[in-house]
Amino acid sequence: MGHWGKRGFALSAFGDLAELGFLLVAAAFMVRNAFASQGAARVFWSFSAAGIAFWIAGVAQWTEYEIILRVPAPQTPVGDTLLFLKLVPLVAALAIEPQSGLTRRFRILSFLDLSFLLVYWFYCYAMWVIPYRFVSREDSVYNFHFNTIDTLGHIIFVAVLGVVALRAQGAWRNLYRLYWASFALYTLSSLIANVAIDEGKYYSGSLYDLPLLTSVAGIAYFAILGGNLPILLIPSPPAGVHSRSSRALILLPARIAMVATLSIPLIGVALLGSSRVSDRVGHFRVMATLLAMLILTALLSLKQDLLSSDLIRSLREANLAYLSLSNTHERMLQTEKLASLGQVVARVANVVKKAMAATLNSSEALIRDGAANSSIRGMAEKLVSQANRTDALLNNMLSFACESPLEIAPVNLRQLLSAAVGLTRVGQNAHVQLEIRSEGVIPSVAADSSRILQVFLQIIGNGVDALEEKGSGALLITLRVVNRQVEVEFADSGTGLLEPEHVFDPFYTTKAVGKGIGLGLSTCYGIVRQHGGDISCRNRVGGGAIFTVSLPVANEEASGVSLANLAPVEGS
C-alpha cells in the first residue's frame, strides 16, 4: 500500500474534501426539501437525508485519518459500518414512493415489510462481516467479506431504484433516472476502488476517485433539483386502475420479508449443529441470530396488530356501506311506488276534474235559470258545493302526483308554521299544548309555500290526533339550521308509531275505517323530495313520535312571506 506522501498531500486532501463537500451539499438540500414538502414527500427526503448523514460520518472518519492523522488508505471498521448502514434509510426512502398514489395505511404496512428486510440485511452483515473485525481479528477475511456484502447491497439498491424509476412518472421519473445513474456509477467505482485498496494501488485523489466524485456530484444535483418536486407531484391514480402485475409487484416485498423471517430460525438451527458454535465467532453468531429473531417477532406482532385493526375498520365501513345501501334501496322502492301510483292518480284525477267542470257549469246554469223552481236551484247549489269539494280533493291528488308545477320563492318557515297552527284545531283542545321554538337565526327556504303548508298541516294534524287519542300531551316544533338546510322537528308525546318504516308508504294508515285513506304522509314525502329536501320519522325514547322535515336554504333571504292568501284546505 503506497503512502499519500508519494502522491502529494494536497491531492489526497482534495479528493477527500471534495467527496465530503458534495455529500454535505446533498444533505443540506435534502433537509431543505423535507421542510418545504409535506406528507410522503417529506418522509422521503427525511430518510434520504438520514442516509446521506451516515455516509458523511463514514467519509468524515476516513478524512480524519488521512488528513489529520496522516494514515494513507486507513482501515476504519466503524466508518465501514456507517457506510454500510447508509443503505438502510436510503432504501426506506425508496419504499415511501411519494410519487405514487398509495394510501397512508398501505405505506405503513409497506414500511413494516421493508423493516423486516432491513433487519435481515443488517443481520447478514453481523453474521458475515462484524465477527472478523470485532470478535476475531482477521483483516483479509474482513476486507473480502465487507467488499462482497457492500457491493451486493449497492447492487440491490440500484436494482430497487431502477424499478422505482420505471414505475414513476413525469418529473419524478426524470429525477429518479439521475439518481439511478449516479448510484450505478458509484457502485461500480466503489467496487473498483475497494479492489485497488486491497491491492495497495489506491490513494485519495487518484484516477479511481474521478468516477466516484462524479457520482457523488450527481447525487448532490439530484437533491438540488428535488426542491421543485413538491409542486410537480403527480395526482393519485383512481382506485382499481392497478394491473395484476403492478399488484404483484406491490405484494412482492411482503412475501420476500416472510421468507427472510422464516429463514433465520433455520440458520439458528444450523449454527447450533455446527462444530464452531463454542468458539467466539460461533457464539457471536448465535447471539446475533437470537437478537434478530426477537426484533423480527416484535415487528411481526406490530404488523399483525395493524392488519387486525385494518380488518376491523374495513368490516365496520362495509357494515355502514351496507346499511346505507339498504336505506338507498328502500328510498328507491318508495320513489318507484310513488311514481307508479302518481301516474295512475294523475290520470284518474284529470278525468274526474273534467267531469266536475261539466257538473259545475251545468249546476251554475240551473241556478241562473229563472224558470227553475226553488227545489231545483237548491239541488243545484248542493251540486256546486260538492263539486268544489271534489275539485279541492282532486287538486290534492294532483299535488301527490306532482303534476302541478312548483312556485318556488323564499319562504319564512316560522310564519308558515304559525299559519298552519292557526288552521288546525289545536286551539280547540285545552289538553293539547303546542310550542314553536327557534334555535338561532332561521333563514328563509326555497319552497312553494302552499305545498309546504300542506305538509305542515298533515304532520300537525297527525300529531294532534295522536295526542287526542292519548287524552292529553304536548307538541313541540323546533327549527334549526343544519348543513345549509332548515330542519323542522315535530315532537309529540302521543302514542308513537307502530311501524315507522312504513308511514310514508301509499295507502298505509292506522286510523279507523273512514278516517283516513293513507295518502297524507305519502303526499308529504313526495312534496318534500320534490323540493330537494328530506323527511323522516322515528319514535321518541319517552313515548311519542318525531317527524323531521329538512328544506334547502334560499339563496336570497326574504324578510317574510305574505300569508294573506293562505286558506285552510277543506278536509285537512
Side-chain angles (χ1 to χ4, degrees):
M1 182 179 297
H3 194 275
W4 55 262
K6 297 180 180 179
R7 282 90 177 178
F9 174 80
L11 193 61
S12 298
F14 170 77
D16 292 338
L17 294 177
E19 181 180 2
L20 188 61
F22 283 133
L23 291 174
L24 288 172
V25 171
F29 276 92
M30 286 179 178
V31 171
R32 184 207 67 171
N33 296 343
F35 280 104
S37 56
Q38 295 179 352
R42 172 171 293 181
V43 179
F44 170 82
W45 290 116
S46 299
F47 276 116
S48 299
I52 300 299
F54 280 113
W55 196 344
I56 291 172
V59 173
Q61 188 182 37
W62 176 285
T63 303
E64 177 190 5
Y65 272 81
E66 278 206 323
I67 304 302
I68 299 177
L69 301 179
R70 307 295 179 93
V71 178
Q75 296 287 339
T76 58
V78 175
D80 291 343
T81 304
L82 292 173
L83 290 175
F84 177 81
L85 287 178
K86 74 177 184 293
L87 294 176
V88 174
L90 290 178
V91 174
L94 294 182
I96 299 301
E97 291 192 77
Q99 78 285 352
S100 68
L102 301 179
T103 62
R104 179 176 178 272
R105 187 184 309 172
F106 192 87
R107 291 182 193 278
I108 294 175
L109 293 175
S110 299
F111 184 75
L112 279 176
D113 292 331
L114 179 65
S115 299
F116 283 89
L117 298 177
L118 295 178
V119 170
Y120 187 81
W121 182 241
F122 188 73
Y123 166 73
C124 294
Y125 182 79
M127 294 283 290
W128 185 251
V129 178
I130 291 179
Y132 296 103
R133 184 68 186 186
F134 296 99
V135 179
S136 175
R137 185 67 178 263
E138 301 178 41
D139 290 343
S140 60
V141 178
Y142 167 81
N143 290 333
F144 173 75
H145 285 188
F146 175 81
N147 292 340
T148 302
I149 198 170
D150 184 64
T151 302
L152 180 60
H154 281 89
I155 291 175
I156 294 175
F157 178 78
V158 170
V160 173
L161 182 55
V163 173
V164 173
L166 290 176
R167 293 176 57 183
Q169 297 180 5
W172 277 101
R173 170 175 287 186
N174 295 330
L175 228 64
Y176 274 133
R177 288 177 177 176
L178 172 62
Y179 199 23
W180 179 88
S182 300
F183 250 101
L185 180 60
Y186 174 81
T187 300
L188 180 61
S189 60
S190 178
L191 174 62
I192 296 174
N194 285 333
V195 173
I197 290 174
D198 293 339
E199 295 179 356
K201 299 178 180 180
Y202 175 83
Y203 61 92
S204 297
S206 64
L207 292 178
Y208 293 106
D209 281 350
L210 184 60
L212 189 144
L213 291 177
T214 302
S215 64
V216 177
I219 294 173
Y221 189 51
F222 161 78
I224 294 172
L225 294 180
N228 298 325
L229 286 181
I231 61 174
L232 296 175
L233 287 175
I234 301 171
S236 301
V241 300
H242 299 289
S243 63
R244 180 179 301 179
S245 59
S246 64
R247 288 195 297 269
L249 189 61
I250 289 174
L251 294 176
L252 183 61
R255 294 167 179 169
I256 296 176
M258 185 58 63
V259 172
T261 303
L262 294 176
S263 68
I264 291 184
L266 299 179
I267 295 175
V269 172
L271 288 173
L272 292 177
S274 175
S275 59
R276 296 190 58 186
V277 71
S278 59
D279 63 14
R280 296 177 60 190
V281 173
H283 180 72
F284 176 83
R285 287 175 169 174
V286 170
M287 296 301 296
T289 301
L290 293 175
L291 180 61
M293 291 175 61
L294 178 63
I295 296 174
L296 290 177
T297 301
L299 290 175
L300 186 61
S301 299
L302 177 60
K303 182 180 180 180
Q304 187 61 42
D305 288 342
L306 289 176
L307 289 174
S308 298
S309 62
D310 286 347
L311 179 59
I312 294 173
R313 185 184 300 109
S314 299
L315 290 175
R316 186 182 299 114
E317 292 175 354
N319 184 51
L320 293 176
Y322 177 77
L323 292 176
S324 177
L325 182 62
S326 299
N327 293 334
T328 303
H329 180 66
E330 291 179 0
R331 287 184 178 275
M332 291 179 64
L333 290 177
Q334 178 76 5
T335 303
E336 291 176 359
K337 288 188 288 185
L338 289 175
S340 300
L341 182 61
Q343 294 176 359
V344 175
V345 169
R347 287 196 295 267
V348 173
N350 286 323
V351 171
V352 178
K353 277 182 73 69
K354 292 179 180 180
M356 288 300 100
T359 301
L360 282 171
N361 291 333
S362 300
S363 300
E364 291 174 352
L366 286 175
I367 294 174
R368 291 192 301 269
D369 188 0
N373 56 37
S374 59
S375 61
I376 294 176
R377 283 197 298 271
M379 182 64 68
E381 290 175 352
K382 291 181 180 180
L383 287 174
V384 169
S385 176
Q386 294 300 323
N388 285 327
R389 293 187 62 185
T390 303
D391 192 66
L393 177 61
L394 292 173
N395 288 332
N396 286 339
M397 293 175 68
L398 288 174
S399 296
F400 167 77
C402 298
E403 285 290 313
S404 54
L406 295 176
E407 297 180 2
I408 301 297
V411 176
N412 187 314
L413 291 185
R414 176 82 186 209
Q415 296 183 13
L416 196 64
L417 283 168
S418 299
V421 171
L423 294 173
T424 61
R425 60 183 184 279
V426 178
Q428 303 173 4
N429 193 330
H431 300 288
V432 176
Q433 300 176 356
L434 187 142
E435 181 182 0
I436 302 177
R437 294 180 183 174
S438 299
E439 296 180 357
V441 179
I442 306 300
S444 300
V445 299
D448 185 326
S449 59
S450 61
R451 300 287 182 85
I452 300 303
L453 176 64
Q454 180 181 347
V455 173
F456 290 167
L457 287 171
Q458 182 66 49
I459 298 176
I460 294 174
N462 288 349
V464 173
D465 289 342
L467 295 176
E468 289 179 343
E469 181 181 348
K470 185 178 179 181
S472 63
L475 174 61
L476 175 62
I477 305 175
T478 306
L479 294 94
R480 62 177 68 93
V481 179
V482 180
N483 297 329
R484 293 293 300 167
Q485 289 204 340
V486 177
E487 187 176 278
V488 186
E489 182 182 272
F490 302 82
D492 65 69
S493 59
T495 56
L497 302 169
L498 293 178
E499 297 175 300
E501 66 275 11
H502 293 302
V503 296
F504 297 115
D505 290 347
F507 301 113
Y508 174 84
T509 180
T510 58
K511 296 182 179 180
V513 178
K515 290 191 175 182
I517 61 174
L519 283 179
L521 289 177
S522 297
T523 304
C524 294
Y525 180 89
I527 291 173
V528 174
R529 297 296 292 177
Q530 191 180 11
H531 281 77
D534 193 17
I535 181 171
S536 61
C537 67
R538 67 183 189 275
N539 282 319
R540 294 179 62 184
V541 177
I546 296 179
F547 282 82
T548 304
V549 177
S550 299
L551 296 169
V553 174
N555 292 330
E556 296 182 1
E557 295 185 15
S559 58
V561 60
S562 176
L563 301 175
N565 297 326
L566 297 178
V569 179
E570 189 173 354
S572 297

